[in-house]
Amino acid sequence: LKEVLKKNDLKNMDRYLFYDNSAEKDFQIEKMRKSNGKYPYIIIGPSLYEGIDLKNDLGRLNILVKAPYAGMDNYTRKKIKRFPFFYLRETKEKLMQAIGRTNRNKTDWSITYLLDTSLEKLIWDMPKYITDRIKKKKL
C-alpha cells in the first residue's frame, strides 16, 4: 500500500501514518492526537484493534482490508482442540474492537469499509447493535 501511494499520491504522503511496530504505532497515534482532528491523517497498520482511541474527529473512516484471524501457532491449535469456539470468537472480538476504534460513544460516528470477502460471513454474526447499522454496497 505504501508503495502504491508513493506512486499515485506523492503530494499527500504526509497524511499517511504508517507503522511497523508498537513504538512507531504509539508515535503515530500521538501525532494524530496532537492534531486534534484538524489535520486529516490516515493511520495505516496491521493491528489497530486495541490501544487506540480515535473518538470524534480523530476517526471518521475505518478500512479493514482483511479479517483479523489470529496466526495459527501451536498454542492456538491446542486452544481450538480444547475450546472449538475459541478461534471464531476471538476473530469476532477483534473485528468488533477494530470497528469500535472510531465509534467511541453514542454520539460518535464513522464509516467502516470491510474489504475482505471473508468479513461478510463474520459481520452478519455480530450483535444486533452493529448489524442494524450495516449497509451492504457492491463495488
Side-chain angles (χ1 to χ4, degrees), residues 48-97:
L48 294 169
Y49 309 116
E50 298 174 326
I52 183 167
D53 182 9
L54 300 175
K55 63 185 168 199
N56 303 319
D57 287 340
L58 284 177
R60 296 294 185 209
L61 174 67
N62 192 350
I63 301 171
L64 302 175
V65 296
K66 71 178 207 65
Y69 290 107
M72 193 57 76
D73 57 11
N74 285 336
Y75 170 81
T76 304
R77 284 185 189 94
K78 288 178 184 175
K79 190 107 177 193
I80 291 170
K81 281 184 181 179
R82 289 183 63 208
F83 308 102
F85 58 85
F86 164 77
Y87 194 70
L88 187 57
R89 186 186 70 193
E90 185 175 279
T91 302
K92 288 180 194 175
E93 185 177 296
K94 281 184 180 178
L95 180 56
M96 285 193 299
Q97 286 175 329

Side-chain angles (χ1 to χ4, degrees), residues 9-80:
D9 199 17
L10 193 56
K11 66 180 178 141
N12 291 309
M13 278 307 289
D14 58 336
R15 285 185 69 190
Y16 304 108
L17 304 178
F18 290 91
Y19 69 89
D20 292 315
N21 58 53
S22 60
E24 290 175 6
K25 178 181 174 181
D26 291 344
F27 177 81
Q28 300 294 33
I29 292 169
E30 188 58 28
K31 188 174 184 177
M32 287 179 74
R33 273 199 193 106
K34 285 181 179 177
S35 81
N36 202 23
K38 291 181 174 67
Y39 190 78
Y41 284 119
I42 299 170
I43 190 165
I44 302 168
S47 59
L48 294 169
Y49 309 116
E50 298 174 326
I52 183 167
D53 182 9
L54 300 175
K55 63 185 168 199
N56 303 319
D57 287 340
L58 284 177
R60 296 294 185 209
L61 174 67
N62 192 350
I63 301 171
L64 302 175
V65 296
K66 71 178 207 65
Y69 290 107
M72 193 57 76
D73 57 11
N74 285 336
Y75 170 81
T76 304
R77 284 185 189 94
K78 288 178 184 175
K79 190 107 177 193
I80 291 170

